[in-house]
């Protein structure tokens, strides 16, 4: 079924690289001053380590893919004034069978490697919360919960980016409704998985019935954070699930609406996870209510704008749809799918008996 997701692969990889690097660096703040301060040195080392182990493997995964397309653009003379640039990035790739086999093995190995890297990185990020003794954070479920949340919001973001690129660059012949349908099915499965973890987390809190935990729990369910909590639940589950579960609504427009709802809902989820706990301390002091300042909104807007700029510049230089996979798909995919289907079925002589 890999051929059903080929046009989305480059979009996914570039999205992870651009937004992963940008968000981590912005979250780091002032790295020089932070690294010199003994209290912040651990956080600095942790964040740099996260950047290294998250984005370097994804960059290494993208390198063989860009080498293939760069070699194709250079060989076809379709690079124009940038042909010298593509020649350098192709690293001497000419399309020889031996080269192609080696690159296939490298891509297969990196495809396997990025899976444990992704799981490890988002689990470690959850440890920033779970390793504290703050109410509702000190939980063993935070590791898989953050991994599922990352995949959930990441897939939704990729669908939105795919729809924008399809419209802006007129890629209707490459990114088709069937691709949105297939990814929409996977997103529906992630929606149900996200609901399972959310339900498991909250039912465990209720069953434990510890006063300090229940105070924050009720502030989210029926207190001052209730509007944000129920809005985020509606946007992450109530809105997208019917759209993605019903085939006639799982169109390009339907999956994009569901994805936008999920992206906004997952941003609210982070707010609901962090702010209620930090505004209700164990000390008997007056409880505060957090409202983001214009500086914080500006950082968020700047982060999104920087990502959009970098992504747009990338699409101006590299083909956003992997050329070599489309060509290979035309040449080999039909035969490969036919052989795979035959392997599922009983032999003809068995049916004749």
């Amino acid at each position: 079924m890999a051929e059903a997701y080929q046009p989305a692969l480059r979009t996914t990889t570039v999205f992870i690289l651009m937004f992963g690097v940008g968000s981590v660096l912005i979250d780091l703040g002032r790295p020089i001053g932070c690294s010199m301060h003994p209290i912040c040195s651990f956080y600095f080392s942790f964040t740099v380590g996260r950047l290294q182990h998250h984005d370097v493997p994804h960059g290494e995964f993208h390198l063989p893919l860009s080498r293939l397309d760069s070699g194709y653009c250079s060989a076809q003379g379709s690079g124009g004034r940038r042909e010298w640039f593509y020649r350098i990035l192709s690293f001497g790739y000419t399309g020889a069978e031996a080269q192609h086999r080696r690159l296939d093995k490298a891509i297969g190995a990196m495809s396997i490697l990025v899976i444990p890297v992704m799981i490890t990185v988002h689990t470690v990020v959850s440890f920033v919360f779970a390793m504290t003794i703050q109410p509702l954070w000190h939980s063993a479920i935070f590791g898989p919960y953050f991994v599922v949340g990352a995949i959930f919001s990441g897939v939704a973001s990729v669908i939105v980016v795919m729809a924008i690129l399809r419209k802006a660059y007129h890629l209707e012949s490459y990114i088709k409704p069937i691709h949105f349908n297939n990814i929409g099915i996977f997103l529906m499965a992630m929606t149900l998985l996200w609901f399972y973890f959310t339900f498991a987390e909250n039912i465990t809190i209720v069953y434990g019935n510890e006063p300090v935990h229940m105070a924050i729990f009720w502030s989210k369910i029926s207190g001052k954070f209730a509007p944000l909590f129920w809005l985020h639940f509606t946007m992450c589950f109530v809105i997208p699930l019917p759209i993605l579960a019903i085939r006639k609504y799982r169109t390009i427009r339907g999956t994009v609406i569901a994805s936008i709802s999920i992206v906004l809902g997952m941003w609210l989820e982070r707010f609901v996870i962090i702010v209620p706990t930090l505004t209700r301390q164990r000390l008997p002091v007056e409880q505060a209510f957090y409202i983001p300042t214009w500086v914080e909104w500006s950082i968020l807007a700047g982060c999104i704008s920087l990502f959009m700029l970098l992504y747009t510049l990338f699409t101006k230089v590299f083909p956003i749809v992997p050329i070599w996979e489309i060509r290979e798909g035309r040449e080999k995919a039909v035969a490969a799918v036919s052989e795979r289907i035959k392997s599922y079925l009983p032999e003809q002589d068995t049916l004749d008996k």
Side-chain angles (χ1 to χ4, degrees):
M1 290 299 291
E3 61 277 353
Y5 302 97
Q6 283 178 353
L9 295 179
R10 179 69 53 83
T11 304
T12 305
T13 307
V14 177
F15 178 85
I16 292 171
L17 279 172
M18 295 294 183
F19 203 74
V21 174
S23 60
V24 170
L25 292 178
I26 291 174
D27 180 61
L28 185 58
R30 300 172 58 186
I32 296 178
C34 186
S35 62
M36 295 179 179
H37 198 287
I39 298 177
C40 300
S41 59
F42 173 75
Y43 177 71
F44 176 77
S45 302
F46 163 77
T47 309
V48 172
R50 177 197 170 194
L51 179 65
Q52 175 184 354
H53 291 93
H54 178 267
D55 297 301
V56 169
H58 282 95
E60 293 174 347
F61 174 70
H62 180 67
L63 183 60
L65 304 180
S66 62
R67 182 185 179 188
L68 288 164
D69 282 348
S70 298
Y72 174 78
C73 292
S74 176
Q76 297 295 319
S78 56
R81 291 178 298 177
R82 293 192 294 266
E83 187 172 340
W84 63 271
F85 180 66
Y86 293 128
R87 193 178 302 114
I88 294 173
L89 290 181
S90 67
F91 294 99
Y93 180 76
T94 59
E97 187 63 28
Q99 290 180 322
H100 194 73
R101 281 200 305 271
R102 286 196 295 269
L103 280 174
D104 270 344
K105 292 180 180 178
I107 293 170
M110 292 305 300
S111 300
I112 297 172
L113 177 62
V114 296
I115 296 174
V117 168
M118 183 275 297
I119 294 174
T120 303
V121 166
H122 291 289
T123 302
V124 171
V125 171
S126 74
F127 288 168
V128 175
F129 300 91
M131 292 302 183
T132 69
I133 57 172
Q134 294 287 352
L136 301 192
W137 288 1
H138 191 58
S139 172
I141 204 173
F142 259 42
Y145 191 28
F146 270 57
V147 172
V148 168
I151 300 174
F152 186 40
S153 59
V155 172
S157 301
V158 167
I159 290 177
V160 175
V161 173
M162 282 177 55
I164 294 173
L165 293 176
R166 183 178 187 268
K167 187 72 173 178
Y169 293 117
H170 305 289
L171 298 175
E172 290 83 1
S173 299
Y174 295 93
I175 305 177
K176 297 183 176 182
I178 186 64
H179 298 124
F180 288 90
N181 176 74
N182 292 337
I183 302 178
I185 294 173
F186 179 70
L187 187 60
M188 178 187 66
M190 294 307 304
T191 303
L192 295 172
L193 193 58
W194 174 88
F195 172 78
Y196 165 75
F197 276 102
T198 302
F199 177 78
E201 181 195 20
N202 287 282
I203 196 66
T204 305
I205 295 168
V206 173
Y207 188 82
N209 200 30
E210 295 185 26
V212 66
H213 292 269
M214 292 304 297
I216 301 174
F217 174 80
W218 287 117
S219 73
K220 293 196 293 186
I221 298 299
S222 58
K224 58 185 177 182
F225 295 105
L228 294 177
F229 177 85
W230 291 112
L231 178 61
H232 115 265
F233 181 80
T234 301
M235 299 184 78
C236 287
F237 185 75
V238 177
I239 293 176
L241 184 62
I243 296 175
L244 299 172
I246 301 175
R247 178 64 183 88
K248 69 175 182 178
Y249 296 140
R250 203 165 54 243
T251 59
I252 295 177
R253 178 177 295 181
T255 53
V256 170
I257 291 173
S259 299
I260 292 175
S261 177
I262 290 169
V263 171
L264 296 176
M266 289 301 293
W267 186 90
L268 284 174
E269 184 197 51
R270 293 299 181 260
F271 187 95
V272 170
I273 288 175
I274 296 170
V275 176
T277 295
L278 293 181
T279 54
R280 292 189 67 92
Q281 301 296 324
R282 289 184 173 88
L283 296 176
V285 296
E286 183 179 355
Q287 302 300 328
F289 187 80
Y290 168 76
I291 299 177
T293 65
W294 69 269
V295 176
E296 292 164 309
W297 286 117
S298 299
I299 292 174
L300 175 62
C303 179
I304 296 174
S305 301
L306 177 63
F307 157 72
M308 294 174 63
L309 173 63
L310 294 176
Y311 203 105
T312 303
L313 292 176
F314 181 90
T315 60
K316 292 295 185 180
V317 178
F318 291 98
I320 198 60
V321 175
I323 300 173
W324 73 275
E325 287 196 350
I326 299 299
R327 292 182 64 210
E328 191 176 65
R330 286 184 177 276
E331 296 170 0
K332 302 178 181 179
V334 175
V337 171
S338 177
E339 288 298 321
R340 187 163 62 238
I341 292 176
K342 287 181 181 179
S343 68
Y344 300 155
L345 301 175
E347 301 295 337
Q348 184 62 41
D349 55 354
T350 304
L351 296 175
D352 294 338
K353 291 180 180 179

